Amino acid sequence: MNDLNVEVTLSDMLDAREKRVTVQREIIERYKGTLISFMLNIPGNIKVFPLSLKAHGEAVKLITKALNRQGISVIYQASDSAKTGCESFFVVKEQPIIVKRLMTDIENSCELGRIFDIDVIDCEGNKISRSDLNITERSCLICDDIGHACSRSRKHPIEELQKKVIEIMENYFAEQFVDNCAACAVRSLLYEVCITPKPGLVDRNNNGSHRDMDIYTFIDSTTALIPYFRDIVLSGIKFRNEKPKAVFEKIRYLGMLAEDCMFTATNNINTHKGLIFSLGIICASAGYLYKNEEAVNTDNILKISREMTLEIDDDFNGITKESARTFGEKLYAAYGITGIRGEAASGFASVKNHGLPMLKSLIEKGYSLNHAGALTLLNLIANVKDTNIIARSSIETLKEVQLLTNNLINERGIENISIDEIMDIDNHFIGKNLSPGGCADLLSVTLMLYFLEN
Ligand SMILES: [Zn+2]
């Protein structure tokens, strides 16, 4: 766009104002209704830049939604962009005073609204003011005085105002992004537990091989993690200037706090420890990419996740059968299995190879998210060395169930496997007291990436 980042002069602004008044008059004469004339209040001599365009678009969305909500019909709408700023016009069939009140509500409803300049003009060309509604004048962005007074007396340096306005816009969109990511994370945990049937795992049919938890334990745990998911995305945003590895070091403590929240919510049952780790990394990576203005897509998220955790499987270096202490270390010493840590350090290779492509192709073919999710889990079980299965049985049993799953997939073709057949596998797993919790976590990660993509 030619108007992007172009400096404007005072005379440009005066010309623009004059032109605007003419346009307003023409629109009113032609459409004979109440006119809403909208601009952003951007201080300084550059009015049009990517962030201001985004904020203008958001305002238009908010105005449109508010009018729709009230059933107010729009008989004319137009937007115009010049180097002096974007302008939008709406003509509506409603009393000006009612429209003004609605627009004031938008201006007051959020921080971003503080930089909206929404004029409401009646069909005679008279501007409705806040005082017509007995609403207090807008306060200054910097101090508590009346905004008009501060701007007339040039109380605050232009640089300070510019900084504040940029901050308001950036924070508004960052909050939106954080909310969306946290919602995707929560949704992926809830979908994962609800997908039914899942061999040996808690689902809507049964508690799988578990005696100490049910679907409600997972709901309790998930809701307890909502603040964690927001905080961890914010950390990715906050530490955008650090190397990914340093970000990971900084978010580890948040992960520990989240584990405390989970154990409190579940009476000390481990429902989501693996996911606090995995989804935490995904969320932080998303925030990091967002703030660095890089595309928040699966490839980039997995790349940053990998960079964050690349060295954590170094923890395994030099571990022998004799020195191994934890279950994870013993698995590594005996079989070279690195579990969820290795998975993260590989950029969630199993999700990339066996999870997401499978889920997406099934959904594209018209499978329900439930059936597609159940089959994706089966595909993960067939391909991933699930440490939870080994923990509850042995490596031999893991090989056995992987062979069984692989044979079924090869013989029947994964797309032909029915819900009833998965139920049979569920009974088999329950009979052997197996629970592929590691694969369930990878299914959640798969769902998270799918939701972020869509
Ligand atoms: Zn002030």
Side-chain angles (χ1 to χ4, degrees):
M1 195 198 280
N2 299 332
D3 305 321
L4 215 54
N5 299 314
V6 177
E7 287 196 24
V8 294
T9 61
L10 179 63
S11 97
D12 290 333
M13 291 311 288
L14 293 174
D15 289 349
R17 185 190 294 174
E18 207 170 300
K19 189 183 151 209
R20 186 161 55 249
V21 172
T22 312
V23 170
Q24 287 170 347
R25 201 179 302 131
E26 283 168 4
I27 294 174
I28 290 168
E29 266 168 34
R30 186 152 173 209
Y31 294 97
K32 302 193 184 353
T34 302
L35 175 68
I36 300 166
S37 178
F38 166 71
M39 288 192 80
L40 287 178
N41 268 325
I42 307 277
N45 52 9
I46 294 177
K47 307 290 183 186
V48 181
F49 45 95
L51 191 58
S52 74
L53 287 174
K54 196 174 169 185
H56 187 96
E58 183 72 8
V60 169
K61 235 190 275 175
L62 291 174
I63 294 171
T64 308
K65 270 191 201 165
L67 294 171
N68 285 342
R69 211 182 298 124
Q70 300 297 321
I72 299 173
S73 54
V74 178
I75 51 177
Y76 172 78
Q77 185 183 344
S79 286
D80 189 19
S81 178
K83 63 181 178 179
T84 46
C86 290
E87 296 172 15
S88 288
F89 306 97
F90 302 74
V91 180
V92 297
K93 281 274 173 233
E94 184 53 273
Q95 289 178 46
I97 204 90
I98 291 175
V99 178
K100 180 67 184 177
R101 190 172 290 282
L102 197 57
M103 295 303 115
T104 318
D105 286 344
I106 296 175
E107 289 172 342
N108 294 344
S109 66
C110 60
E111 273 294 292
L112 190 67
R114 298 185 70 191
I115 62 166
F116 294 173
D117 188 3
I118 316 179
D119 286 339
V120 174
I121 301 165
D122 69 17
C123 55
E124 308 289 321
N126 304 310
K127 205 187 272 187
I128 315 298
S129 71
R130 284 196 166 217
S131 58
D132 294 331
L133 286 138
N134 288 325
I135 293 176
T136 48
E137 291 296 321
R138 304 177 86 178
S139 64
C140 164
L141 294 177
I142 309 286
C143 68
D144 286 335
D145 290 349
I146 293 169
H148 280 308
C150 285
S151 67
R152 219 168 287 135
S153 65
R154 298 179 193 274
K155 185 172 167 189
H156 310 289
I158 203 86
E159 294 76 19
E160 193 183 2
L161 283 161
Q162 274 172 320
K163 198 170 154 238
K164 180 70 188 174
V165 165
I166 298 285
E167 189 186 287
I168 286 174
M169 290 192 278
E170 283 184 343
N171 286 349
Y172 177 85
F173 291 113
E175 282 291 322
Q176 242 181 15
F177 180 79
V178 168
D179 284 342
N180 181 47
C181 284
C184 286
V186 168
R187 217 176 143 207
S188 70
L189 297 194
L190 293 176
Y191 266 75
E192 186 278 319
V193 75
C194 287
I195 285 171
T196 304
K198 291 194 303 292
L201 296 160
V202 173
D203 59 28
R204 284 177 286 128
N205 282 350
N206 57 50
N207 299 335
S209 304
H210 298 275
R211 308 274 173 279
D212 56 354
M213 54 175 102
D214 59 20
I215 201 162
Y216 299 104
T217 325
F218 280 85
I219 292 172
D220 289 340
S221 173
T222 302
T223 47
L225 293 175
I226 294 172
Y228 166 66
F229 290 127
R230 291 194 92 265
D231 288 350
I232 206 103
V233 182
L234 279 170
S235 295
I237 289 176
K238 185 171 160 196
F239 300 124
R240 70 179 185 282
N241 294 322
E242 308 269 358
K243 290 260 181 291
K245 190 180 170 307
V247 178
F248 178 67
E249 290 306 323
K250 290 182 175 359
I251 62 176
R252 274 187 145 168
Y253 186 69
L254 285 179
M256 285 186 254
L257 294 179
E259 285 179 14
D260 291 345
C261 290
M262 173 193 76
F263 283 124
T264 305
T266 61
N267 275 323
N268 289 320
I269 293 164
N270 176 11
T271 40
H272 286 129
K273 202 170 162 182
L275 281 168
I276 289 172
F277 175 81
S278 309
L279 283 194
I281 293 166
I282 302 278
C283 284
S285 298
Y288 187 84
L289 287 164
Y290 171 82
K291 195 63 187 175
N292 281 302
E293 292 179 8
E294 286 181 57
V296 186
N297 57 34
T298 297
D299 283 346
N300 283 344
I301 290 174
L302 295 183
K303 180 175 152 272
I304 299 296
S305 299
R306 185 167 176 273
E307 286 172 21
M308 274 190 196
T309 52
L310 201 51
E311 286 163 32
I312 60 164
D313 56 352
D314 286 0
D315 295 355
F316 287 126
N317 278 346
I319 287 174
T320 62
K321 280 184 183 174
E322 289 70 35
S323 68
R325 284 189 191 163
T326 64
F327 178 70
E329 289 174 358
K330 283 176 189 160
L331 276 186
Y332 176 76
Y335 313 111
I337 295 172
T338 51
I340 190 64
R341 286 196 274 181
E343 188 60 49
S346 74
F348 294 96
S350 301
V351 172
K352 203 172 172 178
N353 298 325
H354 309 296
L356 198 55
M358 177 60 66
L359 184 79
K360 278 159 77 172
S361 96
L362 291 167
I363 289 170
E364 270 164 31
K365 284 173 185 157
Y367 285 70
S368 68
L369 198 48
N370 184 67
H371 197 176
L375 291 175
T376 302
L377 176 67
L378 220 54
N379 199 42
L380 288 164
I381 294 171
N383 288 289
V384 177
K385 292 190 179 72
D386 193 304
T387 53
N388 290 54
I389 293 185
I390 306 174
R392 293 172 80 102
S393 61
S394 64
I395 186 102
E396 285 72 28
T397 310
L398 171 71
K399 284 179 183 164
E400 228 172 78
V401 297
Q402 282 200 296
L403 190 67
L404 177 110
T405 321
N406 264 309
N407 284 345
L408 179 73
I409 292 172
N410 291 335
E411 280 163 23
R412 300 269 292 107
I414 195 151
E415 294 175 11
N416 301 316
I417 298 173
S418 67
I419 292 289
D420 282 347
E421 282 170 287
I422 307 174
M423 251 160 14
D424 291 341
I425 308 175
D426 190 17
N427 289 328
H428 181 79
F429 273 54
I430 295 170
K432 286 186 167 271
N433 193 34
L434 304 174
S435 172
C439 289
D441 288 357
L442 296 175
L443 177 61
S444 290
V445 174
T446 301
L447 289 164
M448 170 75 178
L449 294 170
Y450 177 74
F451 291 144
L452 281 176
E453 277 182 13
N454 295 279

